[in-house]
Amino acid sequence: MPDIDTVRSWQGRTMLDRDGDRIGAIDAIYLDDHTGQPEWALVNTGLFGTKSSFVPLAQAQPTGDSVQVPYDKQLVKDAPR
């Protein structure tokens, strides 16, 4: 996991799934209350970004101007909101 300042800079970037497909734009980063470490990203998904999903950041990696996670796009979109 990159440091907290790096992860905070991810806000506004595009999140990609494990295959490099676009999931959506990162709207916010949420920290763990106890450790202060980044745990979740709120990602705007759906047509015109009208839906939001939480995505764990545990294995997220920067990829150019995007952030890639090891999850399938459909898994994120089907997760409870």
Side-chain angles (χ1 to χ4, degrees), residues 2-24:
D3 65 79
I4 192 166
D5 292 327
T6 300
V7 173
R8 285 185 184 191
S9 74
W10 292 353
Q11 193 167 334
R13 291 188 183 189
T14 298
M15 182 171 279
L16 306 175
D17 76 354
R18 65 181 177 203
D19 299 322
D21 293 328
R22 185 180 190 281
I23 296 174

Side-chain angles (χ1 to χ4, degrees), residues 8-68:
R8 285 185 184 191
S9 74
W10 292 353
Q11 193 167 334
R13 291 188 183 189
T14 298
M15 182 171 279
L16 306 175
D17 76 354
R18 65 181 177 203
D19 299 322
D21 293 328
R22 185 180 190 281
I23 296 174
I26 299 173
D27 184 48
I29 302 295
Y30 289 85
L31 309 179
D32 181 281
D33 289 338
H34 299 290
T35 66
Q37 294 299 309
E39 289 289 325
W40 298 92
L42 182 63
V43 180
N44 293 330
T45 61
L47 191 61
F48 305 113
T50 56
K51 298 179 182 174
S52 297
S53 298
F54 284 98
V55 180
L57 291 174
Q59 298 176 5
Q61 295 293 323
T63 305
D65 289 335
S66 302
V67 176
Q68 191 165 21

